[in-house]
């Protein structure tokens, strides 16, 4: 079984997951609604514009950031095996 956790997020300019990469079980989908979002997955860099999406195996090291000057709105979807927790906390820092 898998658990699917969708999130609608707003990222202000300069927001990021940090300089360290993240890796966890399952899959991750990001869909950029507004703004410009940077993603790095397993050393490959992606720049997502409105309407762009990225789907990847989440055990690959990844990180993200809003390097633009406007707020990013995006949909993040985590598909993970039942019982794994703490994925959201590794992506979003308070």
């Amino acid at each position: 079984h898998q658990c699917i956790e969708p999130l609608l997020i707003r990222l202000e300019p300069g927001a990021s997951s940090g300089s360290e990469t993240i890796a966890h079980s399952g899959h991750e989908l990001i869909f950029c609604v507004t703004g410009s979002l940077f993603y790095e997955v397993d050393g490959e860099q992606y720049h997502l514009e409105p309407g762009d999406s990225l789907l990847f195996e989440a055990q690959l090291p990844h990180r993200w950031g809003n390097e633009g000057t406007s707020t990013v709105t995006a949909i993040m979807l985590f598909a993970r095996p039942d019982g794994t927790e703490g994925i959201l906390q590794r992506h979003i820092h308070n």
Side-chain angles (χ1 to χ4, degrees), residues 8-80:
L8 176 64
I9 58 172
R10 287 179 45 101
L11 306 170
E12 297 301 322
S16 77
S17 59
S19 59
E20 299 295 317
T21 58
I22 305 161
H24 52 86
S25 60
H27 290 83
E28 191 169 321
L29 170 79
I30 183 78
F31 178 84
C32 184
V33 179
T34 65
S36 178
L37 182 61
F38 164 81
Y39 247 81
E40 180 180 317
V41 179
D42 200 24
E44 294 288 326
Q45 297 184 3
Y46 303 90
H47 294 276
L48 306 178
E49 299 294 330
D52 291 342
S53 63
L54 182 63
L55 172 66
F56 58 94
E57 295 180 22
Q59 77 267 10
L60 297 173
H62 58 280
R63 64 187 189 93
W64 56 263
N66 178 356
E67 297 177 335
T69 58
S70 63
T71 301
V72 168
T73 304
I75 297 169
M76 295 178 100
L77 183 79
F78 301 109
R80 57 185 172 77

